[in-house]
């Protein structure tokens, strides 16, 4: 479950900004039928920053209930407040959640020692497997390979979602950790190269709307059939790029609504709906990739 194509699931909302349960059911079933390895529920793509603590937990539990053990569910539990991250993690301890994805603390910009102590405290509070999430472009801090290596020695810290887009990180981390430490890409554009260099898969934004395609690419990569994988991935490359023409998850929510996977593309302020000019770009990408 911690390899291949894992989706960083969007959180569908109704016009009032509440969870759209019918759309969530459609999304989860879409990933079950597409062969997605696992769902990350309420990660950063799931708008964790604008959900209350209670809402966050409820969305994860609704996702788990809909999944009904047909697909693994990983809970996003990261926070820039260590105590809040621990509280979220503990909520899912005996829920059926298979693990937690924990983003580096945003805005605080902790030192490497602060990052180590933050993730150590979370891991020591639970038996759930923990996946670190490094995305400096959104958080303002970068967990360095040496710190990842220190954390990998904690038994339930099992891997990292590495979203720097820096492919040199793979060897840097692999040279410092045991062979069973999991490396997942968090960058759709470079994910196939990441897997070619030894990564285990991707936690993907693109998979929200191109689930079968991302599953196939990851399977081909695991079988070392990279020529075929690159051909398929090239069909999605424009899509990979334009899904970040505005802040994630603005474009992917609009695209999901456009192809009928969700009923509304609502977001909570300060996130706003995709601009008209970028709607044209995303629609073109959907057509070029064969999704519309």
């Amino acid at each position: 479950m911690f390899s291949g194509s894992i989706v960083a699931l969007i959180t569908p909302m109704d016009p009032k900004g509440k969870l759209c349960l019918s759309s969530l059911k459609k999304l989860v079933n879409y990933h079950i039928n597409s062969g997605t390895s696992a769902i990350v529920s309420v990660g950063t793509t799931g708008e964790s920053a604008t959900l209350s603590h209670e809402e966050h937990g409820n969305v994860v539990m609704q996702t788990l209930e809909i999944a009904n053990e047909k697909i693994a569910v990983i809970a996003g539990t990261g926070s820039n407040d260590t105590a809040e991250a621990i509280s979220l993690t503990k909520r899912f301890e005996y829920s059926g959640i298979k693990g937690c994805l924990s983003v580096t603390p945003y805005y605080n910009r902790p030192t490497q020692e602060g990052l180590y102590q933050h993730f150590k405290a979370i891991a020591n509070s639970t038996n759930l497997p923990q996946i670190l999430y490094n995305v400096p472009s959104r958080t303002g801090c970068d967990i360095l390979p040496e710190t990842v290596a220190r954390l990998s020695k904690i038994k339930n810290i099992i891997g990292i979602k590495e979203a720097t887009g820096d492919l040199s990180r793979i060897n840097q981390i692999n040279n410092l950790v045991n062979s069973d430490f999991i490396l997942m890409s968090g960058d759709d554009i470079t994910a196939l190269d990441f897997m070619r260099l030894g990564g285990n898969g991707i936690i993907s934004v693109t998979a929200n709307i191109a689930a079968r395609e991302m599953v196939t690419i990851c399977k081909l990569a695991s079988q070392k059939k990279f020529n075929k994988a690159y051909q398929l991935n090239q069909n999605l490359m424009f899509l990979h790029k334009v899904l970040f023409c505005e802040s994630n998850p603005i474009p992917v929510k609009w695209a999901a609504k456009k192809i009928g996977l969700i009923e509304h593309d609502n977001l909570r302020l300060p996130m706003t709906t995709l601009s008209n000019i970028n709607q044209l770009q995303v629609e073109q990408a959907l057509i070029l990739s064969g999704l519309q």
Side-chain angles (χ1 to χ4, degrees):
M1 74 187 76
F2 298 121
S3 64
S5 178
I6 296 174
V7 63
L9 196 71
I10 55 177
T11 299
M13 296 178 183
D14 66 23
K16 294 183 179 179
K18 303 296 184 183
L19 174 67
C20 180
L21 188 57
S22 57
S23 290
L24 181 63
K25 289 177 180 177
K26 190 168 186 178
L27 284 173
V28 172
N29 286 319
Y30 168 67
H31 287 287
I32 291 169
N33 294 331
S34 298
T36 299
S37 296
I39 288 169
V40 172
S41 179
V42 199
T44 50
T45 298
E47 298 176 75
S48 56
T50 54
L51 295 180
S52 71
H53 195 100
E54 181 180 2
E55 288 174 318
H56 188 136
N58 288 343
V59 173
V60 171
M61 294 308 294
Q62 291 273 18
T63 304
L64 187 66
E65 183 178 341
I66 296 165
N68 194 29
E69 299 185 355
K70 295 175 182 176
I71 187 170
V73 179
I74 299 164
T77 53
S79 174
N80 61 347
D81 174 4
T82 306
E84 181 174 327
I86 289 171
S87 177
L88 274 171
T89 302
K90 283 186 170 182
R91 174 165 185 176
F92 305 124
E93 182 76 33
Y94 302 106
S95 64
I97 290 295
K98 301 301 182 184
C100 299
L101 180 69
S102 190
V103 70
T104 51
Y106 40 88
Y107 186 80
N108 310 45
R109 301 184 69 186
T111 64
Q112 294 300 304
E113 182 62 24
L115 288 168
Y116 175 77
Q117 295 296 340
H118 171 79
F119 287 116
K120 178 183 177 184
I122 296 168
N124 286 344
S125 75
T126 182
N127 291 314
L128 285 169
Q130 300 292 302
I131 302 171
L132 312 173
Y133 178 18
N134 190 35
V135 57
S137 65
R138 295 294 290 257
T139 63
C141 69
D142 183 2
I143 185 168
L144 298 179
E146 294 77 13
T147 306
V148 175
R150 289 180 69 195
L151 287 164
S152 72
K153 294 178 173 60
I154 299 170
K155 65 177 182 178
N156 59 331
I157 296 181
I158 64 167
I160 186 168
K161 176 185 177 183
E162 176 56 58
T164 58
D166 178 1
L167 293 171
S168 69
R169 285 290 176 95
I170 303 167
N171 283 334
Q172 291 175 42
I173 294 171
N174 266 336
N175 287 337
L176 296 171
V177 300
N178 291 332
S179 60
D180 59 352
F181 192 75
I182 297 164
L183 273 70
M184 300 295 291
S185 173
D187 179 54
D188 283 291
I189 293 172
T190 60
L192 184 52
D193 289 327
F194 186 98
M195 288 182 276
R196 181 176 57 83
L197 293 170
N200 300 97
I202 181 168
I203 299 177
S204 170
V205 173
T206 301
N208 276 285
I209 56 172
R212 289 179 180 85
E213 292 81 356
M214 292 303 296
V215 167
T216 300
I217 289 166
C218 289
K219 283 183 176 178
L220 288 169
S222 71
Q223 297 164 358
K224 310 297 183 186
K225 297 178 180 178
F226 288 107
N227 288 339
K228 181 63 173 176
Y230 277 110
Q231 289 174 19
L232 294 177
N233 194 55
Q234 193 57 40
N235 292 336
L236 296 180
M237 189 54 71
F238 184 46
L239 183 66
H240 292 329
K241 293 175 180 177
V242 301
L243 288 181
F244 292 88
C245 64
E246 293 181 22
S247 295
N248 181 46
I250 294 171
V252 72
K253 268 198 158 178
W254 187 89
K257 180 179 183 293
K258 184 70 177 177
I259 64 175
L261 285 173
I262 59 175
E263 297 169 38
H264 315 280
D265 62 340
N266 295 76
L267 304 105
R268 288 186 178 176
L269 288 171
M271 305 293 271
T272 53
T273 304
L274 188 66
S275 64
N276 290 337
I277 191 167
N278 283 326
Q279 287 179 19
L280 296 174
Q281 276 203 87
V282 176
E283 185 168 18
Q284 183 184 10
L286 291 172
I287 293 168
L288 289 174
S289 58
L291 297 174
Q292 186 181 338

